[in-house]
Amino acid sequence: MIDELLNFNKTFVETKGYEKYITNKYPDKKIAIVTCMDTRLTELLPAALGIKNGDVKIIKNAGGTITHPFGSAMRSLLVAIYELGVEEVMIIGHTDCGVQHMDSETMLQHMRERGISQDHIEMMQYCDINLNSWLSGFNDTEEAVQKSVHIVRHHPLVPQDIKVRGFIMNVSIRRNAPFTL
């Protein structure tokens, strides 16, 4: 599959398909969005918000949450604020998220089935990584978004003038209000 992507990229470069996407590293709208890596959001989220290449910084992870005040998502937000001029932050969760109700024991079992040794798992725990917490999902999307907003708003390194708001995107077309925040 990667070779297929690379072949497409070769043609993309040869035909200068990139030209319509040229912009700089600074977000025109001065907004950073933290959202889920869910494949349904790749084109849907920008379309639903009317954003284009260069408008915003998008930080994606499993669940679209800030789970640790000093994790990589929070670090990315700090870079966006201090180095790239971001003034507002949107935390956008979504309905039917794969991280919702994710169970750490099930994931650890999948790891063992794929050849990860119990010794490696125990080494993580010896290094003071709580795998049960780290590999668990959330039960309530609204609560997860609120927790993320709280972490960003109250982070000791985030200036008080940064606006932080949380949203939940409905990704189901079977509901009365599809694709809304």
Side-chain angles (χ1 to χ4, degrees):
M1 295 301 287
I2 292 175
D3 288 338
E4 186 178 311
L5 297 177
L6 292 174
N7 286 333
F8 179 88
N9 177 256
K10 184 178 180 200
T11 303
F12 180 78
V13 171
E14 288 170 355
T15 62
K16 298 184 181 189
Y18 55 85
E19 287 181 344
K20 67 181 179 179
Y21 302 103
I22 293 175
T23 187
N24 63 51
K25 64 183 176 180
Y26 301 97
D28 294 335
K29 296 188 183 296
K30 300 187 183 315
I31 295 172
I33 296 173
V34 177
T35 193
C36 189
M37 65 182 197
D38 190 298
T39 55
R40 294 171 289 185
L41 301 180
T42 302
E43 291 186 45
L44 178 60
L45 183 68
L49 296 176
I51 56 177
K52 63 181 182 352
N53 201 47
D55 282 348
V56 302
K57 291 295 179 186
I58 299 179
I59 301 160
K60 291 185 166 204
N61 65 23
T65 54
I66 307 288
T67 57
H68 192 283
F70 299 102
S72 65
M74 192 63 227
R75 178 179 179 266
S76 295
L77 276 177
L78 292 172
V79 169
I81 291 166
Y82 288 107
E83 299 296 325
L84 303 172
V86 161
E87 298 172 356
E88 297 183 64
V89 176
M90 296 176 75
I91 310 289
I92 303 177
H94 67 94
T95 57
D96 192 33
C97 183
V99 176
Q100 190 171 9
H101 308 298
M102 192 172 72
D103 177 64
S104 62
E105 286 303 320
T106 301
M107 187 176 292
L108 287 167
Q109 183 57 37
H110 291 310
M111 289 178 184
R112 290 181 193 100
E113 291 167 2
R114 298 282 303 267
I116 303 300
S117 72
Q118 186 61 32
D119 287 344
H120 283 119
I121 292 169
E122 289 172 8
M123 180 181 65
M124 297 291 115
Q125 293 166 333
Y126 176 77
C127 293
D128 207 25
I129 296 170
N130 182 339
L131 292 177
N132 289 331
S133 172
W134 191 56
L135 298 175
S136 289
F138 50 81
N139 292 323
D140 182 284
T141 303
E142 184 175 341
E143 184 179 297
V145 169
Q146 288 173 349
K147 180 180 177 188
S148 296
V149 167
H150 179 83
I151 289 172
V152 177
R153 278 188 184 151
H154 296 93
H155 196 283
L157 301 178
V158 173
Q160 294 299 306
D161 62 340
I162 297 296
K163 295 178 182 120
V164 184
R165 295 174 60 192
F167 304 89
I168 298 172
M169 183 173 195
N170 181 349
V171 297
S172 173
I173 60 172
R174 294 182 180 94
R175 296 192 183 186
N176 293 336
F179 315 128
T180 59
L181 292 176

